[in-house]
Amino acid sequence: MAASMVCRVRAAFLRFESDLLKILGLNRFNGPCLAPTGVNLQQQPHQRDSSPGVGFLESLKESVLWAVPRSRRSLERRHTRRFQHHKHFEHAKPKKNIIACLDCGHWHERNTLCGNCYEKVRQETQEMIAAMKEDEKVKFNHPDTELTFLYQDELKLKDQFVGTHIVEVKKKRPQWWSKNLLTSANKR
Amino acid sequence: MALRIRYRMRHRNMSKAMGPCGGPLGRITRLRKLVTGVVRFERIESVFGWTDETRGYVERMIQEAIKHGDRHGPTMELADFWLLEKDLIHKLFKVLVPRYQNYTTAFTSQYMLPNKYPGGKISMAVLELKGNCYPPIKAKERDTSQLLTNILLDVARQDYVLQKLQINNSTRPSMESASCWHSQNNVIIPNYVDEITTHINTLSIDPKTSTEV
């Protein structure tokens, strides 16, 4: 199939070339000057087995080197390719790096965070960032001090954080996030 | 000055950072956006390769700001280039520099996020500035130095070091080390064994979290 396609492409190429030459007026007749009558001396470029002089487009094509195997693949390399299962087998191989989270027990890969534990943290972070974005003083013009996020039930502690800009988060502090973090001794 | 993180010898190409045919400019544009995001929000999630690249730039920028302060022209230009939102330049010099002034560790943390099955080649990661106000990603810092395996490994490490030093010390007068240059040339090797044993005993092993990248 490929060979016939190549032949068809080549034939089309030659036809195009001859037409182009006719248009450009570069069609030179390369046959003998003195010739018997009745013989068709015009070249027929669309014939498969004609091998006249090489046209300039075809010479271009001939100078291009098509990729081709240079040497026979050894048995070792063939076996390695076929039986090593290196392509598209990522999900066929068992994952041996799955561990249980020590805090919540959900499974995760050894090099990643626990998805369950992080999901809580991500949700809370998003809500705090939303509160930060709502605060007009922080939105486009970050203050020159650190930020402190205070939840609804902690707004009375504002006086402890004088040097910082307070962002009010309109909800209760989550149960799993310790209150002790707010004291000035272990603020961070 | 060295960065306090591991970084690659060569930059990543980030070929689709700003869409196809973005090129190096697309990479730089994306990195600027990410750096701006990290400095503004202090915790961002993105593709691991991108966060790893930005981490280097963020660390370097903060390091330069700490070293030179805000009266230094080239540092100001650096901040102006990387921070697309200009109020963050003030944040960098007035908030982040005092925060990180006395840090001996890196200023950022990076963690790999889990992939939902089946996943793909690309993993997501979260990059955050240390000392942020959000709930900590790692709630508990587990001290793993008292686990039996670690205790045994520490002792084994001490024994190995001592063994090596004792071999070196014992070969000074003996005939076995006839080929040893020191013994041939009567060079005095100072006794480091005592110094190093006292040093090992005072060492504290920091708990290393396995998921921190």
Side-chain angles (χ1 to χ4, degrees):
Chain A
M1 191 197 91
S4 68
M5 263 193 62
V6 168
C7 287
R8 272 188 273 129
V9 166
R10 183 172 173 273
F13 216 81
L14 291 169
R15 247 182 282 128
F16 165 73
E17 182 210 304
S18 71
D19 292 341
L20 185 64
L21 287 173
K22 276 185 196 164
I23 291 161
L24 294 173
L26 297 169
N27 210 2
R28 287 193 185 83
F29 177 55
N30 290 322
C33 295
L34 295 169
T37 55
V39 174
N40 188 1
L41 297 165
Q42 192 79 22
Q43 292 174 16
Q44 299 292 333
H46 57 268
Q47 279 171 9
R48 254 196 205 185
D49 47 7
S50 69
S51 56
V54 177
F56 77 97
L57 284 177
E58 198 176 16
S59 69
L60 273 176
K61 193 177 65 122
E62 277 180 7
S63 67
V64 170
L65 298 171
W66 298 98
V68 123
R70 202 169 181 89
S71 49
R72 185 187 176 177
R73 283 160 146 175
S74 65
L75 190 69
E76 291 83 12
R77 282 185 184 254
R78 276 182 273 150
H79 281 174
T80 309
R81 184 180 65 256
R82 288 170 196 166
F83 306 126
Q84 278 288 314
H85 298 316
H86 60 98
K87 284 186 178 178
H88 316 303
F89 273 85
E90 311 85 30
H91 304 306
K93 286 179 193 163
K95 282 198 175 178
K96 294 188 176 174
N97 60 342
I98 298 175
I99 57 170
C101 174
L102 291 167
D103 295 322
C104 71
H106 276 68
W107 301 109
H108 63 94
E109 284 182 72
R110 200 187 302 120
N111 63 325
T112 67
L113 296 171
C114 169
N116 191 43
C117 295
Y118 180 70
E119 192 53 41
K120 287 187 302 191
V121 167
R122 178 199 274 153
Q123 272 301 115
E124 196 55 38
T125 310
Q126 290 300 322
E127 286 170 25
M128 289 168 82
I129 286 172
M132 193 173 92
K133 284 181 181 174
E134 270 174 36
D135 189 339
E136 288 301 324
K137 289 184 184 171
V138 182
K139 207 162 134 182
F140 296 117
N141 205 359
H142 197 279
D144 293 343
T145 55
E146 297 270 7
L147 298 179
T148 306
F149 290 82
L150 288 178
Y151 288 82
Q152 288 295 86
D153 39 345
E154 292 158 358
L155 290 173
K156 53 183 183 284
L157 301 168
K158 273 187 185 180
D159 305 327
Q160 285 184 19
F161 307 101
V162 172
T164 65
H165 178 92
I166 290 160
V167 177
E168 288 177 22
V169 188
K170 294 189 173 83
K171 58 175 281 214
K172 278 188 178 177
R173 180 168 280 272
Q175 292 274 329
W176 48 268
W177 191 12
S178 172
K179 277 187 189 178
N180 293 329
L181 290 166
L182 272 193
T183 59
S184 52
N186 44 347
K187 197 178 170 194
R188 303 242 169 259
Chain B
M1 227 162 88
L3 289 181
R4 294 167 189 159
I5 52 165
R6 294 185 73 196
Y7 53 90
R8 297 186 164 208
M9 291 292 280
R10 188 192 179 273
H11 64 271
R12 289 179 176 83
N13 283 343
M14 290 168 62
S15 55
K16 287 146 195 106
M18 292 300 286
C21 306
L25 181 63
R27 174 179 169 274
I28 290 283
T29 311
R30 177 59 64 191
L31 286 171
R32 285 167 91 182
K33 287 188 170 197
L34 287 168
V35 167
T36 309
V38 172
V39 173
R40 165 143 256 131
F41 298 114
E42 300 196 17
R43 187 180 283 176
I44 59 165
E45 283 177 31
S46 186
V47 175
F48 168 66
W50 296 6
T51 56
D52 201 45
E53 290 285 291
T54 59
R55 200 181 181 196
Y57 289 104
V58 170
E59 293 267 343
R60 186 57 189 264
M61 187 174 70
I62 296 171
Q63 206 178 60
E64 294 284 301
I66 290 168
K67 190 175 176 189
H68 298 122
D70 61 351
R71 291 275 172 268
H72 189 240
T75 311
M76 299 287 277
E77 281 175 18
L78 194 77
D80 183 46
F81 178 82
W82 285 104
L83 299 168
L84 297 168
E85 289 157 17
K86 304 306 170 188
D87 61 312
L88 296 173
I89 300 173
H90 294 271
K91 183 182 176 184
L92 172 69
F93 289 106
K94 291 170 187 172
V95 175
L96 298 183
V97 165
R99 194 200 285 185
Y100 296 125
Q101 195 76 52
N102 299 317
Y103 265 54
T104 52
T105 59
F107 315 122
T108 56
S109 305
Q110 193 182 220
Y111 303 96
M112 296 290 283
L113 290 175
N115 293 328
K116 283 192 177 168
Y117 186 84
K121 280 187 188 174
I122 297 164
S123 299
M124 298 292 274
V126 58
L127 178 66
E128 63 163 11
L129 290 177
K130 285 184 180 171
N132 62 59
C133 297
Y134 307 123
I137 290 174
K138 293 254 157 158
K140 285 183 198 169
E141 278 294 329
R142 291 175 190 280
D143 177 20
T144 53
S145 62
Q146 300 307 313
L147 292 177
L148 181 62
T149 335
N150 284 338
I151 291 170
L152 294 172
L153 281 170
D154 293 340
V155 172
R157 199 186 307 136
Q158 288 178 32
D159 287 345
Y160 176 77
V161 169
L162 288 172
Q163 198 183 26
K164 277 271 174 181
L165 289 165
Q166 278 161 11
I167 285 168
N168 284 344
N169 279 312
S170 66
T171 52
R172 267 180 293 156
S174 70
M175 291 299 288
E176 285 167 319
S177 61
S179 58
C180 174
W181 185 90
H182 289 123
S183 61
Q184 284 167 351
N185 294 276
N186 294 321
V187 174
I188 300 162
I189 304 163
N191 190 351
Y192 286 126
V193 179
D194 296 332
E195 277 184 47
I196 288 180
T197 45
T198 49
H199 177 62
I200 285 167
N201 290 333
T202 58
L203 274 176
S204 59
I205 292 100
D206 295 346
K208 286 234 174 225
T209 53
S210 60
T211 54
E212 173 140 7
V213 178

